[in-house]
Amino acid sequence: MARGKFITLEGIDGAGKTTHLGWLRERLEQKVGPTGHAVVMTREPGGTPLGEALRHILLHEAMDLETEALLMFAARREHLAQVIEPALVRGDWVLSDRFTDATFAYQGGGRGLPRDKLEALERWVQGGFQPDLTVLFDVPPETASARRGAAREPDRFESESDAFFTRTRAEYLRRAEEAPYRFAIVDSTQSIEEIRRQLDGIVAAL
């Protein structure tokens, strides 16, 4: 049985990825469904009962930076073991709202946790496992800030400054430059229609 594909969506808060998540799932189902396999949509932190409990803590409780990173990777290990890896073995495709790139961007770039600590956790939790495709929705921090301001009550990360998101965005772009074979960068200042045309091409290539 052919192994499924793992696709992740990334971007700073307010980049617009959530706007396209459900639409992208439908497009993937149109392509994967005829093969007899499913599209599993999930998120990080979260994706499992334990992960969702950790998500609530991470988004709303103050904590030490290293505790924050460790909890992110703890939730990820459970996510991989319980959801992602079994789905891929079944031949299903997995679409996740965030994965490890977010930890490097937020805890590393945004908060300043040394990269070597994150890399050690990444090796321990994932080995060499990485997404088949990461779609990075890229947007200037000031644009993202305006979008967040029109949304719901902000969580602990959404409440951060533009300077924080400037650092976070820079780390996302560094990760993309480091692994161009799996990243597709989408200019999220475009119209929804333009972005979806681009996503169609990206999915077709995969």
Side-chain angles (χ1 to χ4, degrees):
M1 182 181 295
R3 187 175 176 85
K5 299 288 187 182
F6 181 36
I7 301 173
T8 58
L9 273 58
E10 298 282 1
I12 63 175
D13 287 284
K17 60 184 173 55
T18 306
T19 301
H20 304 282
L21 191 61
W23 177 88
L24 186 55
R25 178 184 185 176
E26 292 178 2
R27 296 294 291 144
L28 288 172
E29 286 174 339
Q30 292 171 9
K31 297 176 183 295
V32 176
T35 69
H37 298 292
V39 175
V40 177
M41 190 162 73
T42 188
R43 67 179 181 176
E44 287 209 352
T48 67
L50 176 60
E52 291 297 326
L54 290 174
R55 178 187 180 89
H56 180 79
I57 293 170
L58 283 160
L59 295 187
H60 301 289
E61 301 293 335
M63 65 189 71
D64 180 79
L65 174 55
E66 292 190 351
T67 303
E68 184 176 288
L70 288 165
L71 288 180
M72 288 288 185
F73 275 101
R76 181 163 301 124
R77 181 59 248 168
E78 189 75 1
H79 196 201
L80 281 163
Q82 301 299 328
V83 177
I84 297 171
E85 291 171 344
L88 295 176
V89 169
R90 291 193 305 267
D92 295 339
W93 286 40
V94 179
L95 178 63
S96 183
D97 183 353
R98 301 197 187 282
F99 192 59
T100 308
D101 297 302
T103 307
F104 276 83
Y106 278 76
Q107 283 69 51
R111 298 216 194 283
L113 187 67
R115 193 180 301 159
D116 61 339
K117 293 187 177 183
L118 294 171
E119 289 171 344
L121 289 170
E122 182 182 34
R123 286 191 300 271
W124 180 29
V125 168
Q126 297 167 225
F129 179 82
Q130 292 291 349
D132 295 286
L133 169 68
T134 297
V135 181
L136 174 58
F137 290 82
D138 185 47
V139 66
E142 57 271 19
T143 303
S145 178
R147 292 174 178 176
R148 291 194 305 274
R152 64 187 183 282
E153 185 71 19
D155 61 39
R156 197 163 64 89
F157 293 96
E158 293 166 337
S159 300
E160 287 286 355
S161 66
D162 283 356
F164 170 88
F165 284 110
T166 296
R167 297 191 299 271
T168 301
R169 180 196 188 195
E171 178 62 13
Y172 266 132
L173 293 172
R174 187 199 68 80
R175 292 277 286 181
E177 184 177 5
E178 190 177 68
Y181 50 87
R182 71 173 173 89
F183 270 89
I185 300 177
V186 173
D187 177 0
S188 198
T189 64
Q190 301 176 98
S191 69
I192 289 176
E193 292 74 19
E194 289 171 327
I195 290 172
R196 289 181 177 174
R197 278 196 295 271
Q198 188 173 348
L199 290 174
D200 249 340
I202 291 168
V203 169
L206 183 63

